[in-house]
Amino acid sequence: MVHVRRVDRQGGRMDARDRLIVALYAQLKAERETRETLEWAIRNGAVSQEVLEAIAADPVPVVTSEEIASVEKIIALDERRKTNRN
């Protein structure tokens, strides 16, 4: 594929975009595991009504403003690289 990027295998380095993808994957995986565990606990009566109300009342944001700023910076840098190549 033309748009697939390679990781520098010798140095083991990934660029910022690749690190972001890995971090978002890890976050998604952790959230899925948390949800599966919570579902199991609810089915087995291991979670009280008070705990469920607390979870529902205080959701954790999926993406923080710092993460959004990082993504915007990566996009801006990528756009500059494209402009400099042409």
Side-chain angles (χ1 to χ4, degrees):
M1 289 192 241
V2 176
H3 300 291
V4 174
R5 297 147 42 100
R6 291 181 167 220
V7 174
D8 178 5
R9 297 288 179 197
Q10 292 176 344
R13 297 177 300 181
M14 293 188 289
D15 67 13
R17 188 180 299 176
D18 293 330
R19 288 192 306 273
L20 177 63
I21 290 168
V22 170
L24 291 173
Y25 170 77
Q27 180 179 359
L28 178 61
K29 183 177 178 183
E31 289 172 1
R32 285 182 177 167
E33 289 173 355
T34 300
R35 186 175 57 244
E36 289 171 0
T37 302
L38 182 59
E39 289 172 356
W40 178 89
I42 291 168
R43 278 194 306 271
N44 291 288
V47 179
S48 69
Q49 185 69 28
E50 293 81 15
V51 170
L52 291 175
E53 288 174 9
I55 291 170
D58 190 26
V60 176
V62 175
V63 178
T64 66
S65 59
E66 292 169 351
E67 291 168 326
I68 292 172
S70 294
V71 170
E72 289 172 344
K73 184 176 179 181
I74 291 167
I75 292 169
L77 289 171
D78 194 48
E79 289 299 319
R80 283 190 214 133
R81 287 183 192 136
K82 287 179 185 177
T83 302
N84 291 337
R85 284 186 217 157
N86 296 330

